[in-house]
Amino acid sequence: MPAAADIPKPALKRRKPNPWVRRFKSPIHNNGLFAAGTIPEGPRVIEYVGEKITKKESYRRAVERIDLAQRTGGAAVFIFELNSKYDVDGSVRWNAARMINHSCGPNCETRVVKGHIWIVALREIEPGEELSYDYGYDIEHWKEHPCRCGRPDCAGYIVRHDQRKKLKRLLKKQKKQSRAK
Ligand SMILES: [Zn+2]
């Protein structure tokens, strides 16, 4: 018989508080996650956890949420690409990483390591600094996702980094058209 201490405890859905981060009201949007102390460059700060779903289910949920966003002004979709077969729906209460906001100049990025999605620090983050990463939204739905990251180089909308030049041209064109009216 193994001693009681050797018997593994059942895995709990509620996770231990993460020592790297604290949750506070964010100047960007709702609640955000902030560095509890200095976070060095490189570590896996927090895992983006959630429900593992198929691409088909993922598409269904995304469409539903984009529709809701259009009606209510909420922007979050919370679905993350895991691999070619599955996505992760992070809109669950026990996923603290869902509170991390988008920024056009983020201090973190997401990395998929062995089937897990991690938020990784891109540089040293000072205590109290808000954590952010690039949500990487496609330009197709840019209008539904205005950005309030407050950076001087903010693109105005949450659009993935390599499409921001395209967005700039689009916004310029729109401005011209509205002036011509
Ligand atoms: Zn921005």
Side-chain angles (χ1 to χ4, degrees):
M1 272 263 294
D6 295 336
I7 300 169
K9 290 195 182 91
L12 292 174
K13 279 227 162 150
R14 188 173 267 284
R15 292 172 185 237
K16 266 192 248 164
N18 183 305
W20 295 106
V21 293
R22 297 275 181 278
R23 165 191 177 165
F24 294 114
K25 183 109 196 72
S26 162
I28 302 178
H29 182 71
N30 284 349
N31 284 313
L33 290 190
F34 294 77
T38 304
I39 301 175
E41 183 187 333
R44 299 173 192 171
V45 179
I46 185 168
E47 188 180 351
Y48 192 95
V49 289
E51 194 187 340
K52 197 173 160 184
I53 52 173
T54 61
K55 292 281 174 194
K56 195 178 160 192
E57 175 60 13
S58 169
Y59 181 75
R60 192 192 68 75
R61 292 186 192 187
V63 169
E64 201 178 81
R65 279 176 213 172
I66 287 166
D67 182 53
L68 188 76
Q70 279 168 340
R71 282 185 280 123
T72 63
V77 177
F78 295 120
I79 292 175
F80 231 104
E81 179 159 357
L82 188 60
N83 54 40
S84 59
K85 277 188 178 162
Y86 296 101
D87 286 348
V88 166
D89 181 356
S91 65
V92 290
R93 279 189 68 93
W94 36 282
N95 178 28
R98 77 185 190 283
M99 283 181 277
I100 301 174
N101 280 307
H102 163 93
S103 168
C104 296
N107 51 21
C108 292
E109 67 173 7
T110 57
R111 263 181 229 165
V112 179
V113 187
K114 292 180 184 160
H116 293 268
I117 301 161
W118 288 95
I119 309 295
V120 177
L122 281 173
R123 56 165 171 81
E124 189 177 284
I125 302 172
E126 286 173 41
E129 206 183 319
E130 178 165 5
L131 267 58
S132 59
Y133 64 89
D134 184 346
Y135 279 11
Y137 289 169
D138 194 89
I139 197 163
E140 196 189 340
H141 299 289
W142 65 275
K143 271 185 194 164
E144 281 113 68
H145 305 293
C147 184
R148 298 177 191 94
C149 75
R151 289 181 55 90
D153 57 347
C154 176
Y157 292 86
I158 303 177
V159 166
R160 53 173 223 261
H161 192 256
D162 60 334
Q163 293 179 331
R164 279 184 208 148
K165 271 190 186 149
K166 202 170 154 190
L167 176 73
K168 230 181 180 174
R169 286 198 298 270
L170 208 82
L171 290 171
K172 231 181 174 174
K173 212 170 130 190
Q174 279 212 335
K175 222 176 171 182
K176 247 189 207 164
Q177 280 171 345
S178 70
R179 249 190 261 133
K181 267 177 203 168

